[in-house]
Structure formats: C-alpha cells, structure tokens
Amino acid sequence: MTVWAEAHGMDAEGRELTASVGRGTAALFLVDAAGKETPLPLDDKGRWEREGSGPLSAPVTLPAVPDGDYQLRARLTTPLGTGTVDSALPLYAPARVRVLTDRPLYEPGHRVRFRAVALRAKDLSPLDGRPGTWKVTDPSGEVVLEERAPAGNWGVVAGDFPLDRGAPTGTWTVSWTSGGASGDAAFTVEPFTLPRLRMEAKSPRPFWRANDAPEVTGQVSYASGAPVADTDVTLAWSHAGAWPPPTEWLRGELPTKARTDAAGRFRVTLPRVPQDLRGQATLSANLEAKDPTGEPVRGGVSLLLSEDALAVSSVTELEDGLVAGFSNRVYLRATTASGQVLPGAEVTVTRAWDPRDTGVSAVADEDGVAAFQLDPGPAVNVVVPPLPVRVQPRPPSVSLVSSQDLLGAQGGQTSLEDQLALERLLPVLHPCARFVSPASGSAMAEFAVRVGAAGQVLDVGGAEEGLEACMASALRAKGLPARAERMLQLRFRVMDPGLPSFRWNTQVAFGDERGVSEGLTLAALDARSCLPPTLDRAVAIPGALTWRWWADKPELALSWVAEPAPDDALPAAVLACVKERFARIRAPASKQVGRGLSEAMGVVRFIAQPTYGGNGIPRPPQATTFLGYELKVRAKWDGQDMGETKLVLRPARLPPLRARVTPVLAKAGESVKVELLRGPGFTGELPKTLELVAGPARLKEKLDPATRSARFTLPQDFEGWAQVEGVEATARVYVAPRASLTVEVSPDKPAYAPGELAHLQVHTRVDGKDGEAAVGLFGVDETLAQLAPLPGADALDGLRPSPSVATPAFGVLDGQALAMGRIRGANAAAAALLRVTAVPSLEDVETPLSVSARSPFSPDAELTEPFYAVLTELHARTRKWEETAPEGETLDPAGLARLWAESLAACEQRGQKVTDAFGRKLRLSRLPQDLLALTDPRAVVVNGTRLPEDVVNWGAWVAREAP
C-alpha cells in the first residue's frame, strides 16, 4: 500500500503551487457492503515507511473475507488536517460457475426456474455468499431480467422468472455472473403438448453376427401404461459403418411396417446378415405409430452387426505401435462386440501368422484392461481383406427429354396419348444405348418421325447411322397409336449402359487410316451388345481384321484372319456375333485417306475389356497390404469363451529415453517409484537426481544407478497431477481428490395414484460414510424427453478441470474420466495416462488486482459555497441601504466594495467560512470573472435611481483598485 497527501497553495503572485506533505500518519480500513470498517494491520515492522519526503508505504495482508465488493479506505492525518479517500476493491477468487434450468422446454406463461453453483477454481470448494447477478435474455438479445442474487450455502444460488403469455418463442439464455466468472444455460420457449403416447423399441440381442436374422421388438402404449393395440408401426432404415449392406436391404427388402397386438407389442424380423460382414456396422430405424385419433408417436432403434463377438482395442507406450525383438508394454481392453466390459477376463494374445505360438495371457482389471509385456516377433506383411462391393442398379439408359408435334393443333405440343406411348416404348430403346461411348457417358439423340393415321412410322429424318438409326428402327417396328397424321420432333437423353467395350490397335500397311477409325468406332460400339455383361477381365479377340479402302467405294473390304485362340477366349457364339458386327464398315466420304493417296490397307486387332461401374462386375477391390504385426486375441470370462478377434498394430520406433511411474494412480502421502528406461539411441549419462513436481512442492531424490529409479513420497495434503521434470521423457502420476461423493435417491413407494404425494429419500455418503452435501432435484415428466433432450447426471462434470488428451484411450477413457475418478483399474489408468498431453494448470493464486484513488481538489468548487454566503449577505445589506440612504445618494464601485467588506466580516463573525480553497479571504480582486460579475452594482442594486448615471466598468475598477 502506498499513501500520500498533497498540499495546494498560492505564491505571492497568485500562481498555484502543489507540494507533497512530508509529515503525517495514515490508517487503513476494509469497508464491506454494509459500511462496516475493519482496520487493516501492517505487516513486517508494523509501521509506515517513508523515503525522504515521499509517500508512506507498507505491506498489508487482507483478511480472509467472503468474496464481494469492498472498499479500501485510507485516512491520513497531517499538519494541514485529516483527509479520507476510498477506492473500490472487488475481491473475487477465480471461480467456476455452472447454470442449470429445471427443464429445457417451456411454454409462454410458464415459470422458469434456474440454479447455479459457484466453486473456487483453486480447490473446487463452494463460494458461500458470493455476490452475483442473474440475467435473462430473450431470443432478440433484449435483457428482460437483471437482479442481484448472492450464492447461499454450498455456493448454490437459485432464481426464477415468470414468462409472459405473449413471450417470444425461440431460444432464451439465463446467466449468473460474479466477479468475472459466469455460467449460462439455454432453454427453448414454444407452445407444446406433452405426448400422450410412448414408443419403446429395442434389439433382443446386444449385437448380431453373420448368418443371424436380426429382430426388433417394441411396444406402443399410452403415458398411463394402457396399450395401443392393432395399429401400424412404420420403419425407415439407414445404416452407418464401413461395411456396405446389401443393396436389396435399402431398396425395400428390410421390413417397413409392423402391427401391434392386443398388448401393444410388435416384432420385426430382418433378412439374414450376409457372410461377407466385415468389422462392425449399425442399422438404424426411425419408427412411427399413431393411435386411433391420429396422434403420432416416434421412436428409434439401432442394431449392431459385428463380424466378431469380441472387440479389442490397444494402447502402447510407443505411439500405439510395437517394436520387433523388444519387450513392449501393451494394454488391451477386451469387451463384447456391443462394448460390455469384461472385468477379470483372461485375455490371451498370440501371433496370428505363427500356428506354433502359444501366446501370453493376462487378467483384465476392473475396467477390462489387461497389461502385457509382448514381443511381437518380426514385422510381417499384413493383408487386410477388402470390403465387399455392392453393385448399385443403374438408372434407365434412355429418357424422353422433349417431343413436339409440328402438325398438331395445340401449338406444337404432343398429345398426351403420344407422350404416354413414347414413355412406354423407352424399354424398347434401351438396347440402342450401346452406341454411347463410355468415355462421354451420355449423349443426346435428336431426330424426327412422320407418323401415319394408322400409327405406322412413314418416314424418319436425321437418323442415318449409329444411335439415332437404332432408335428410329425400334420405333418403326413398334409404331404409335392410331390417330391423325403427325410429324414429331423427338429428343432423348441416352446414358452409357456400362457394357464392356473394345479397344483396338490399327497397323497401316499402306496409305492413311484417317476416315477408317470413325467406321471402326461405330462398329465397336454396336458390337458391345455381343459381349457378356459380366466380363471381368480384358480378353483378346482371336483373329486379325484386314481392311482395304478405295476412294471411290464407301465401304471397306474386310476379312478375318484366324489366329490361335487363348485358353480364356470368349465363347464361339460371342465371337461370331462380334465378327458379324464388324462385317460392314463405311468410311465417311468427306475424309481423305492420305496425302494425295486414293487407297489404303491395314490390319486391326481387338481387345474386349470390362467397363467398371457398369452392369458388369465392378472394379475388383484391392486388399490393403502393409508391414506390421497381426495378433490374435482370445478372452475367457466367468468360465465362458467370449470368442476371438484379430488386432493389427504398426511398427514403432523406440525413443532414446522413457520414464515410467508406479503406481500411476496414487494416494496422498504414498510412495511412488519413477524408473528411467533407455533405448538404443540413448547417449550420455543418466541424471544424478530426479525431480517430481507435485503442485507447489518440488521433490528431489537421488537416482539409483543400478535400478535407474528413484522413490518419492507424495505430500500428505496433495491431490491432482504430479509429473517428472528435468529429463527428456514424460511421466505423470494422478492423485484423486480425497473426498468421494455418492448420492442415492429412492421413493417411499414403487407406484402412486394420481394426486397422491410422493416422498423421496435422499442419501449422501462422503468417503463411504454418511455426510451432508448439497443436492439439487429436478423433476419433469419423462415424456418431455420425446420433445427435447433432458440433462443427465453428468451435467456438472465440466466443473472439474480435466487434462488434455490426443485421443481417448481405447476410444472411451478420456481426461474427464480420469478427473472424475471413473477409472478404477490400474491398467486402465496407466493406459489413459499415456494419452495425456497436458495437465490442467493449477489456479493457486488469486487474480492480480491494482486499485488507486485520490480525493478531488477543485478550488472553484470550494470557492462557490462561501462566495454565495457572502453574496447573500451583500444583497441584504444593499436592500437595507436602499431603504435608509438619503434621497439622491447613489452606490458607486467604492461603496459596493465597502458593503462587500462589511458582508464578509458579518459572515465571519457568524462562523461561516469566508475563505477559498487556499485559506485566503474572499477579496473581490481574487474572485474569478464569472463570480465577480455577480457582485457588479448593476446586478446587486434593485432600484436603478440608486446607481450613478456615469457608469464605471466594474471589472476594470476591481482590477485597478484591487479591493
């Protein structure tokens, strides 16, 4: 604390002077909200220190007071007098605040109840009596409630807010703020009706394997428990996971309807799970049912499909990998496929590629985690089979884009009868899609037809060859309905049907092949229909096609020359069809064969190849191969064989130095062992001592060279995180909080009649013994969960700081589980600690706060009050003079100065203050211009005949005469 006083004065020439007061004493007080002063004693020597004529300074320790808004008061006594100065001093410890509402959904007109808990961030102790402010904000951001509400016992503060019947709907926010710490919660306001129905659906088994026929059972009932009988239940399915379900499942083979029986129950049986199930996949269904009044109720169910009955996940000390020829510390968590933990299970690990390996076994802890020292052997090629590929049905190859009747009476619009006929003829046109190149994927076919009155196609325009010619030929064969003659402009969109295709190699013996390739392309597209749709490999067509071209002949002279057929040659019928399609090839007349040449000849060889993604077999999936370790894991639990599964791990690199703490979950005052483990890359020497940082304590112990370890005894009052420092390796130990709290809530009866009062028994235990605790009860109708998610028992988990983890151990054990004490097994805790990347920082110091204040010094403000007192006396004496002075006597400036002196003396005699801020009497010559103008004779005298006709400037006279 630093305190000082300043003196203000005037020199002989009227200039203001400021100087520090070098003598005096000070006293400090802490003033609470009620105005009560608490003296603050000085530390150290118990007296103020001053360097020269500087300020007074002394260290002061504030008393342990509840959080709140205080004032720091300094009272100084100097030879010039005593003065006091106050400074606002908000004393608030860093805190964690959580806010809860009694439910997430309200209607306009309801009363919203909310509650907050405030805990000290340092030790999570309740902040009783801490001041704070509730604030409720509507969806538009307008604050509709702001009231101060201090926390009560256990740091809990409650409030409520009545919603107007016209309250805006949307998301509202309620917050409680105290000293920079705040918490908030959102709730929704909208009209709603609690559902009268309840839907329950489940899977009879926790998971289903290949060749199983999954089932879904459920019940539809009223909220009262009465069944909804003989009603339909609809199901809409979806899936998640890498394994693709059969396409038939999602195209309607999965059941979409069920019907309830007299008890409101229903059962649905699904098709059997295929043998190609890989890994795990989830089938989910959204269910809906209605009662006789039409009110709907919705629910959901998920079915887990699993290849293996056993599921295993791992954590290792080496980036979740293994090192060959090394004793690796491996933690395995064995569960059923549905995630059921197997505490105490006997887990056996063997090398999957070595049938002679007998493996190693270990017993899982309370969290189903077993610890192994494992040598995986040399890394091998691990082959991961590919997932099955489901062929998706292709959309129709031909679709009608537009049609116009140029002879029609409807402005070119085709009659509805013709449009329906064209739509029905689309399947007839599908074979023509073979003329669409796989490279382009789609094409537009446009041509015109003239249709006679009998429906026959009389003429076709724009369909000379290829796609259009094929489609026009199909229309000629089928015809259209009989009616008036018409001329139709037709436009179709044609998609590649995914048939196998041809690629060829042309060798020119003479001339140039230009002009020939176009003819070969058209014939190759036509011949696609000859190939088997399921062609899954490239096959060479046995034989070579020789061609000869003359400029005066549009058709090529073709002949096939037989060649030896390979073992996997196409069937004879297919080859005959292919050769027939290549029997006639026309070259465009507009193409030139070569530079000045009029003929050419050559040889063509063809290869048939599949078109992946078409109607044939898709591109074969490729297995994934990498270098790693493939392990086989088996588990026995409670005398039963839980099955086996495979675990694949990647190679890892051994670091130069590792540190390991035993145990990783310790108790305050317990001894822990820190061991250093060297790797092949370690150089240099191990340190002589190790340091374990446990909160504010830094423990140092000598390192035993033989065992490369040191033992530390944790402080008796320690809880939280301790870690090894000073070496290039990280190791941590966690000490859980000493107090563990459990809460049990039970009703006095299992069931109640409407209108009956229910009594709840709440039982709290602290460290296994009966103890008092703050308990919050929130009760809502369970059917509200169908409209909005309800808060669970973990709503306050975020109050306790949790460590940061790269990824949760085994996918489930995160930092919050460690902080909340949900990990019971030593192996599980050790694995979870390996994933910790940063521990929460301790907030063991209060928030730094710097305050300052000074009493104001305003000479003009201190001058105003005595001036007006003298001015009032001056007016009174002037009125008396006007009444008693002889007729014709006037008041000149000198007379007014005399009256001012008399007024000054009269006020001083009555004990009124007649001095300015510097202790000087209020002489007219010292007054500022604005106050001096109020003493002008023309402003004081009421009767103008009492003023001289010769006006003397009052300000100039005062400046000259200095009265």
Side-chain angles (χ1 to χ4, degrees), residues 249-340:
W249 282 15
L250 302 182
R251 283 167 45 204
E253 189 172 316
L254 294 179
T256 57
K257 280 192 176 181
R259 195 161 186 86
T260 61
D261 58 15
R265 296 186 177 91
F266 63 90
R267 179 184 296 270
V268 174
T269 303
L270 280 66
R272 291 191 178 276
V273 181
Q275 291 289 344
D276 60 5
L277 175 63
R278 295 290 181 271
Q280 290 188 344
T282 302
L283 281 179
S284 300
N286 293 323
L287 296 88
E288 183 179 26
K290 296 181 180 178
D291 71 348
T293 66
E295 180 176 344
V297 60
R298 298 175 179 86
V301 66
S302 294
L303 303 176
L304 177 63
L305 310 181
S306 179
E307 178 183 5
D308 298 323
L310 186 68
V312 173
S313 53
S314 66
V315 172
T316 75
E317 293 180 330
L318 306 174
E319 302 172 351
D320 285 346
L322 298 177
V323 176
F326 179 75
S327 180
N328 297 264
R329 174 68 64 90
V330 181
Y331 299 97
L332 294 183
R333 184 173 185 261
T335 66
T336 64
S338 60
Q340 179 187 354

Side-chain angles (χ1 to χ4, degrees), residues 183-547:
D184 59 72
F187 59 90
T188 302
V189 176
E190 63 182 24
F192 68 90
T193 301
L194 285 177
R196 296 187 305 112
L197 306 177
R198 179 182 303 166
M199 166 80 75
E200 296 179 1
K202 64 179 181 178
S203 171
R205 296 188 198 173
F207 60 92
W208 304 86
R209 301 187 64 188
N211 208 35
D212 288 341
E215 293 182 350
V216 173
T217 60
Q219 184 177 20
V220 183
S221 61
Y222 291 99
S224 62
V228 180
D230 199 28
T231 187
D232 287 331
V233 180
T234 60
L235 300 93
W237 294 93
S238 62
H239 79 282
W243 178 76
T247 54
E248 298 82 6
W249 282 15
L250 302 182
R251 283 167 45 204
E253 189 172 316
L254 294 179
T256 57
K257 280 192 176 181
R259 195 161 186 86
T260 61
D261 58 15
R265 296 186 177 91
F266 63 90
R267 179 184 296 270
V268 174
T269 303
L270 280 66
R272 291 191 178 276
V273 181
Q275 291 289 344
D276 60 5
L277 175 63
R278 295 290 181 271
Q280 290 188 344
T282 302
L283 281 179
S284 300
N286 293 323
L287 296 88
E288 183 179 26
K290 296 181 180 178
D291 71 348
T293 66
E295 180 176 344
V297 60
R298 298 175 179 86
V301 66
S302 294
L303 303 176
L304 177 63
L305 310 181
S306 179
E307 178 183 5
D308 298 323
L310 186 68
V312 173
S313 53
S314 66
V315 172
T316 75
E317 293 180 330
L318 306 174
E319 302 172 351
D320 285 346
L322 298 177
V323 176
F326 179 75
S327 180
N328 297 264
R329 174 68 64 90
V330 181
Y331 299 97
L332 294 183
R333 184 173 185 261
T335 66
T336 64
S338 60
Q340 179 187 354
V341 178
L342 304 177
E346 182 183 353
V347 183
T348 303
V349 180
T350 59
R351 301 170 185 169
W353 51 271
D354 187 358
R356 298 171 298 176
D357 185 18
T358 58
V360 293
S361 298
V363 177
D365 61 9
E366 295 91 329
D367 293 301
V369 178
F372 296 87
Q373 291 297 138
L374 185 65
D375 178 7
V380 297
N381 286 329
V382 178
V383 179
V384 180
L387 292 172
V389 177
R390 311 297 186 193
V391 179
Q392 299 296 329
R394 296 179 63 85
S397 299
V398 182
S399 59
L400 179 63
V401 177
S402 64
S403 63
Q404 288 186 323
D405 184 1
L406 302 185
L407 298 178
Q410 301 179 2
Q413 184 176 359
T414 307
S415 67
L416 181 60
E417 187 179 8
D418 279 345
Q419 291 186 39
L420 292 175
L422 289 171
E423 292 288 349
R424 286 194 295 267
L425 288 174
L426 290 180
V428 180
L429 306 180
H430 287 174
C432 298
R434 66 183 184 273
F435 286 98
V436 178
S437 170
S440 61
S442 65
M444 299 299 297
E446 302 181 32
F447 56 94
V449 296
R450 182 180 176 188
V451 184
Q456 75 277 20
V457 177
L458 302 176
D459 194 9
V460 177
E464 286 78 13
E465 60 182 8
L467 176 62
E468 288 83 359
C470 176
M471 300 178 73
S473 176
L475 289 178
R476 283 182 186 273
K478 293 295 182 179
L480 292 174
R483 51 183 298 271
E485 186 174 342
R486 59 268 196 201
M487 182 179 292
L488 303 180
Q489 280 185 329
L490 302 177
R491 191 179 185 198
F492 298 89
R493 181 176 180 84
V494 187
M495 307 292 294
D496 172 33
L499 295 173
S501 59
F502 289 91
R503 57 183 173 91
W504 61 87
N505 179 31
T506 302
Q507 292 177 302
V508 180
F510 173 73
D512 198 318
E513 68 168 330
R514 284 181 299 174
V516 178
S517 60
E518 286 84 346
L520 289 173
T521 299
L522 189 61
L525 292 175
D526 189 15
R528 296 174 67 191
S529 60
C530 299
L531 299 174
T534 57
L535 183 68
D536 59 353
R537 66 190 185 282
V539 179
I541 303 299
L545 179 65
T546 64
W547 55 270

Side-chain angles (χ1 to χ4, degrees), residues 891-959:
L891 186 65
D892 57 6
L896 185 60
R898 184 179 63 256
L899 289 176
W900 174 265
E902 294 173 359
S903 301
L904 196 66
C907 290
E908 185 176 15
Q909 188 176 4
R910 291 196 298 267
Q912 291 179 288
K913 184 180 179 181
V914 294
T915 59
D916 61 10
F918 303 100
R920 302 172 301 173
K921 286 189 178 182
L922 300 182
R923 294 178 56 181
L924 292 172
S925 57
R926 292 180 180 144
L927 295 178
Q929 290 298 322
D930 55 340
L931 298 183
L932 180 63
L934 298 178
T935 63
D936 192 310
R938 289 172 294 173
V940 176
V941 176
V942 175
N943 188 353
T945 60
R946 289 294 189 176
L947 294 172
E949 294 185 66
D950 181 33
V951 179
V952 177
N953 184 283
W954 171 245
W957 185 87
V958 171

